[in-house]
Amino acid sequence: MKIALINGSPKVKDSASKTLLEELHAHLSPKAECIELEFHATTLSPDEQTLLLQADAWIFAFPLYVDGIPAHLLSCLVGLEQFLATKGKQNTIGNDQNVTKSGQNTIRVYGIANCGFYEGIQAEYALEILQNWSRRAGLTWGGGIGVGGGGGLSQMPKTAGHGPWAPIIRTFTALSETILQAGTTDNQYISVAFPRFLYKIAAQSGWRQSIRRNGGKARDLGNKPK
């Protein structure tokens, strides 16, 4: 089985999406061949599009942007939809093992949406956007996970069975089995195992440190654009 792990974050480095994909990769390997792709621009190259068609499953990981998906990722999805429609009209298989002679795709799509909010349910609409796109593009929706507390993942220790990452690791263990069995699952929403009030304090501290590094003051955080 070949699986495409797609980082849909606009960040080139240090993104929560990449951190989550690394964890999922550890669950999938060595039972499957994983292809790692980075979607940071608004378009995909022909080589990237062709490579995607060779995978049995696509797993998109991306951050929540205004209750939706990032604009550059949406642009990539529009381009992919057009590409898939073109492949279907050609009515050929070629080297694309997941395109049938009738042009039907057997690729399954999964989504992992992380958000800075503590509650993973905030990613519900973003996953629905990806789910609706999958159906429109003629692909099979395999299920998605909304992860709350994404803003602190890189600072939280990974320990199986307990600790802040425990709910994510448990959920990824089940998701990896679903993916490997070519199955589907309902969308799920989880949060880090970390007290909400402490997460809020840490987030506020992070914003204050960031604005000071950029020459501002903490009180400027409450300013509204003119």
Side-chain angles (χ1 to χ4, degrees), residues 121-138:
I121 190 65
Q122 288 287 153
E124 180 180 13
Y125 295 139
L127 288 177
E128 286 184 0
I129 290 172
L130 186 60
Q131 181 174 354
N132 290 334
W133 171 83
S134 301
R135 292 170 176 168
R136 179 181 174 88

Side-chain angles (χ1 to χ4, degrees), residues 6-73:
I6 304 165
N7 179 3
S9 172
K11 291 183 179 179
V12 178
K13 62 178 182 178
D14 300 330
S15 71
S17 299
K18 185 174 182 61
T19 301
L20 289 167
L21 284 177
E22 289 173 348
E23 177 64 30
L24 185 60
H25 191 174
H27 286 75
L28 294 170
S29 180
K31 297 179 181 179
E33 177 184 354
C34 293
I35 307 168
E36 297 183 8
L37 295 171
E38 304 278 341
F39 286 14
H40 300 308
T42 57
T43 58
L44 303 178
S45 69
D47 288 343
E48 289 174 321
Q49 292 174 328
T50 301
L51 187 62
L52 281 170
L53 281 188
Q54 298 172 11
D56 302 289
W58 299 351
I59 304 172
F60 290 90
F62 57 92
L64 186 70
Y65 272 44
V66 198
D67 281 346
I69 64 178
H72 79 283
L73 178 57

Side-chain angles (χ1 to χ4, degrees), residues 24 27 145 168-181 185 188:
L24 185 60
H27 286 75
I145 298 175
I168 299 173
I169 294 174
R170 286 196 299 268
T171 305
F172 277 18
T173 299
L175 177 64
S176 63
E177 289 302 316
T178 298
I179 295 170
L180 292 170
Q181 295 172 12
T185 184
Q188 304 173 64

Side-chain angles (χ1 to χ4, degrees), residues 23 156-170:
E23 177 64 30
M156 295 178 179
K158 293 183 184 179
T159 306
H162 62 277
W165 271 80
I168 299 173
I169 294 174
R170 286 196 299 268

Side-chain angles (χ1 to χ4, degrees), residues 55-176:
D56 302 289
W58 299 351
I59 304 172
F60 290 90
F62 57 92
L64 186 70
Y65 272 44
V66 198
D67 281 346
I69 64 178
H72 79 283
L73 178 57
L74 180 60
S75 178
C76 288
L77 294 179
V78 171
L80 269 175
E81 181 183 338
Q82 295 170 347
F83 175 69
L84 291 170
T86 300
K87 295 298 292 184
K89 290 178 182 178
Q90 289 177 351
N91 200 35
T92 58
I93 297 180
N95 293 324
D96 305 323
Q97 60 186 8
N98 290 305
V99 181
T100 66
K101 289 183 179 180
S102 63
Q104 181 180 0
N105 287 284
T106 61
I107 297 169
R108 296 175 310 285
V109 177
Y110 302 86
I112 302 172
N114 73 87
C115 60
F117 296 102
Y118 184 80
E119 298 81 7
I121 190 65
Q122 288 287 153
E124 180 180 13
Y125 295 139
L127 288 177
E128 286 184 0
I129 290 172
L130 186 60
Q131 181 174 354
N132 290 334
W133 171 83
S134 301
R135 292 170 176 168
R136 179 181 174 88
L139 307 176
T140 300
W141 176 247
I145 298 175
V147 181
L153 287 177
S154 60
Q155 287 80 41
M156 295 178 179
K158 293 183 184 179
T159 306
H162 62 277
W165 271 80
I168 299 173
I169 294 174
R170 286 196 299 268
T171 305
F172 277 18
T173 299
L175 177 64
S176 63

